[in-house]
């Protein structure tokens, strides 16, 4: 190395931007909501699924920017790859490493969890490399989020059926947010945020309907679960309503990006509401503690 050549050191902020660290707060609730649909008590395998989920999510974030590096050079030159703060090869290597680690953790949680994790990883890679800009893109992202919740159920108890309704509700929310996000770098139409607003209202109503109960909880437990579900459902709706309305009235990139950010943050109260709806009130309360952390981090690093 010549004397005038500087050594490029890794930039923590650049990696925080690449991996969307504030959005990482929305991931633990997937596995925990999946476990809550089967049992109110997460176990060691649930934690393995949660760790696997975090790794596969970050694999998707790194791969997303690697696949978008040419487009970002025009539309978002400040992003870590086009700005030169992170090399494309490093981002791709990180995506591969996160994927391998996520699958290894899922394997330790059992064969059912590994099966779901393989499907999840395949969906993530397919979305980033092939489906993102096609009409199938939002549905691939929907499938990924639903599979992430089912990963928690598969790891916790080895079966999925009781968790399918929760996966469908979470997936529907993801479909709405992903559809809106397709217009966040250019002027769009009111259709996407208006549809997302309608989906939010429908999901809020479905969340507060009385779900099938596991066993026979006491009247006090049932009342607590019902009240907490209603409160968290209202929080979910309140998080997204105003940004979606503003993006509907003025679908400009800044307001659309704000709506997408709100939709991502709203995932946390939605996951908590799903857990409370299943009777896992402690899990629901723990998940709500992630919301202020996500808001604080989002002030420093963009979630989109």
């Amino acid at each position: 190395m010549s004397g005038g050549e500087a050594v490029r050191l890794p930039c923590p902020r650049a990696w925080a931007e690449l991996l969307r660290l504030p959005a990482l707060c929305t991931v633990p609730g997937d596995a925990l909501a999946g476990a809550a649909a089967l049992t109110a008590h997460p176990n060691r395998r649930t934690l393995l699924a949660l760790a696997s989920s975090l790794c596969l999510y970050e694999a998707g974030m790194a791969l997303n920017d690697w696949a978008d590096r040419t487009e970002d050079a025009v539309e978002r030159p400040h992003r870590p790859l086009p700005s030169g703060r992170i090399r494309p090869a490093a981002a791709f290597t990180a995506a591969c490493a996160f994927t391998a680690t996520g699958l290894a953790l899922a394997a330790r949680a059992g064969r059912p969890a590994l099966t779901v994790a393989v499907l999840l990883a395949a969906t993530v890679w397919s979305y980033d490399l092939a489906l993102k800009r096609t009409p199938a893109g939002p549905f691939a992202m929907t499938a990924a989020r639903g599979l992430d919740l089912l990963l928690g159920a598969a790891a916790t108890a080895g079966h999925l059926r009781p968790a399918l309704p929760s996966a469908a509700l979470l997936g529907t929310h993801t479909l709405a947010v992903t559809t809106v996000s397709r217009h966040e770098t250019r002027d769009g139409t009111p259709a996407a945020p208006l549809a997302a607003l309608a989906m939010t209202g429908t999901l809020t109503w479905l969340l507060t309907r009385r779900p099938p109960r596991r066993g026979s909880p006491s009247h006090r437990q049932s009342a607590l679960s019902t009240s907490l579900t209603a409160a968290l459902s209202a929080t979910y709706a309140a998080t997204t309503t105003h940004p979606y309305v503003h993006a509907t009235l003025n679908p400009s990139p800044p307001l659309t990006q704000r709506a997408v950010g709100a939709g991502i943050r709203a995932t946390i109260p939605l996951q908590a509401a799903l857990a409370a709806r299943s009777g896992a009130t402690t899990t629901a309360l723990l998940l709500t503690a992630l919301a202020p952390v996500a808001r604080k981090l989002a002030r420093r690093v963009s979630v989109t």
Side-chain angles (χ1 to χ4, degrees), residues 73-270:
V74 177
E75 297 183 348
R76 296 179 175 181
H78 61 280
R79 293 293 302 156
L81 268 61
S83 66
R85 289 177 292 155
I86 295 177
R87 297 183 184 278
F92 186 79
T93 300
C96 294
F98 276 124
T99 300
T101 303
L103 294 177
L105 289 167
R108 293 190 60 188
R111 182 174 295 178
L114 177 60
T115 300
V116 176
V118 169
L119 292 173
L120 174 56
T123 302
V124 168
W125 279 72
S126 297
Y127 173 81
D128 282 333
L129 298 182
L131 301 177
K132 184 187 306 182
R133 294 175 182 82
T134 72
F139 298 98
M141 185 64 76
T142 298
R145 202 83 200 202
L147 285 168
D148 204 29
L149 186 146
L150 295 177
L151 176 58
T156 301
H159 57 280
L160 306 176
R161 178 172 289 185
L164 290 175
S166 293
L169 292 173
L170 182 61
T172 301
H173 167 72
T174 304
L175 176 63
V177 178
T178 306
T179 301
V180 175
S181 73
R182 290 164 77 88
H183 305 283
E184 63 180 339
T185 60
R186 58 188 182 277
D187 288 336
T189 68
L194 185 60
L197 185 63
M199 284 187 187
T200 298
T202 301
L203 288 175
T204 303
W205 176 73
L206 289 172
L207 283 168
T208 54
R209 294 183 65 192
R210 185 175 179 84
R213 295 290 182 181
R214 303 161 303 173
S216 301
S218 69
H219 174 73
R220 182 176 180 180
Q221 290 172 322
S222 178
L224 175 59
S225 175
T226 300
S227 299
L228 186 57
T229 301
L232 290 169
S233 299
T235 301
Y236 162 67
T239 303
T240 57
T241 298
H242 285 171
Y244 283 162
V245 169
H246 291 162
T248 299
L249 297 175
N250 179 12
S252 61
L255 291 181
T256 300
Q257 291 169 17
R258 190 176 301 172
V260 173
I264 293 172
R265 292 193 304 274
T267 304
I268 296 174
L270 174 58

Side-chain angles (χ1 to χ4, degrees), residues 33-52:
L38 282 77
T39 173
H41 303 290
N43 54 36
R44 183 186 67 87
R45 293 187 302 275
T46 309
L47 297 180
L48 287 170
L50 192 157
S52 172

